[in-house]
Amino acid sequence: NISHDIRTPMNAIVGLCALLSRDVDNPEKVREYTRKISFSSQHLLGLINDVLDMSKIESGQTLLNITEFNMVDTIEEVYTIVLPQIKAKGQSIELHTRGNLPGKILGDKTRMNQILLNLLSNSVKYTPEGGKISLTLEGLKLNTRKRARIRFTVADNGYGMSRDFIKNIFDPFAREDTECKKEIRGTGLGMPTTKNIVDLMCGTI
């Protein structure tokens, strides 16, 4: 699966570069080709990052970079990143908060972003045009070590998944090949990577 996934955008980039050199005097085609090359490059970069992340995790080399950060600012950043994808599919997103949420926390902001972006991107990917997505933050009671506990819930009215697949959702390269999902791109590494990061943070998913 992964070799096919990597070859697909790579072949597109190589083919588009050849077309670009042929039609270099046609500004309209040059713009079209460069836009497609950019899209394929970003997709390929995402695949490579997923594979490298999983490789680091499996070899036990992933470490958390703990700093102080503002939770609200982080959510706004994630929202800003995912909003163009949502708008492109004519979807809508709602943000909700519940309970007492801390203003500043100590944690790995980059990894927190990665988790939320993985979950929200999946929602966008597996929800049809015009669908609805929501992100809820809920402040829970402090644990016995006085550490903040926050529940993040990402919900959507998309295709969903079978009960059988839920058992394997955190297995590397696992993908559910149903009729409505065959054309949706993905490596099957987003969820296992997310789970491993959550485990590192002593959380549950």
Side-chain angles (χ1 to χ4, degrees):
N1 279 346
I2 198 69
S3 61
H4 174 265
D5 284 333
I6 288 174
R7 284 193 183 103
T8 299
M10 194 68 243
N11 286 337
I13 292 165
V14 171
L16 286 162
C17 285
L19 291 173
L20 191 60
S21 61
R22 187 194 69 186
D23 296 320
V24 70
D25 295 325
N26 187 328
E28 193 172 319
K29 285 191 174 181
V30 166
R31 277 193 293 272
E32 180 191 348
Y33 297 152
T34 51
R35 182 178 57 80
K36 289 180 177 177
I37 288 171
S38 176
F39 173 78
S40 295
S41 300
Q42 290 300 317
H43 178 58
L44 183 60
L45 182 61
L47 293 174
I48 292 168
N49 284 338
D50 282 348
V51 173
L52 293 176
D53 266 349
M54 184 53 63
S55 177
K56 273 186 181 180
I57 286 165
E58 288 181 339
S59 62
Q61 293 178 0
T62 305
L63 299 172
L64 297 177
N65 180 27
I66 306 298
T67 58
E68 185 179 89
F69 65 94
N70 186 295
M71 178 59 68
V72 174
D73 290 347
T74 301
I75 297 303
E76 284 182 1
E77 287 172 22
V78 169
Y79 178 79
T80 302
I81 292 169
V82 82
L83 193 59
Q85 300 174 44
I86 289 170
K87 283 187 173 179
K89 289 188 73 173
Q91 297 167 341
S92 61
I93 182 169
E94 293 182 351
L95 300 176
H96 304 283
T97 58
R98 294 179 189 151
N100 294 319
L101 288 166
K104 291 183 178 179
I105 62 171
L106 287 172
D108 191 324
K109 179 183 175 181
T110 302
R111 293 299 185 181
M112 182 75 75
N113 280 7
Q114 186 178 2
I115 291 167
L116 293 174
L117 285 171
N118 275 347
L119 295 174
L120 287 166
S121 294
N122 268 4
S123 269
V124 175
K125 196 186 298 183
Y126 294 105
T127 299
E129 290 191 13
K132 296 178 180 179
I133 297 165
S134 69
L135 169 62
T136 303
L137 277 70
E138 184 179 358
L140 305 176
K141 288 182 179 178
L142 297 181
N143 67 14
T144 52
R145 297 172 68 186
K146 301 292 183 185
R147 289 187 173 174
R149 293 172 63 234
I150 304 165
R151 178 183 289 135
F152 300 89
T153 306
V154 176
D156 59 62
N157 61 348
Y159 301 118
M161 63 191 93
S162 68
R163 288 186 180 276
D164 287 337
F165 181 69
I166 290 174
K167 299 171 190 172
N168 305 315
I169 191 172
F170 298 120
D171 294 345
F173 306 108
R175 286 192 291 192
E176 188 173 32
D177 290 325
T178 57
E179 198 60 40
C180 60
K181 297 176 187 173
K182 279 184 178 176
E183 300 303 314
I184 299 174
R185 289 179 171 183
T187 59
L189 289 175
M191 291 311 294
T193 299
T194 297
K195 185 181 188 309
N196 277 285
I197 297 169
V198 170
D199 288 346
L200 272 176
M201 294 178 171
C202 301
T204 56
I205 181 167

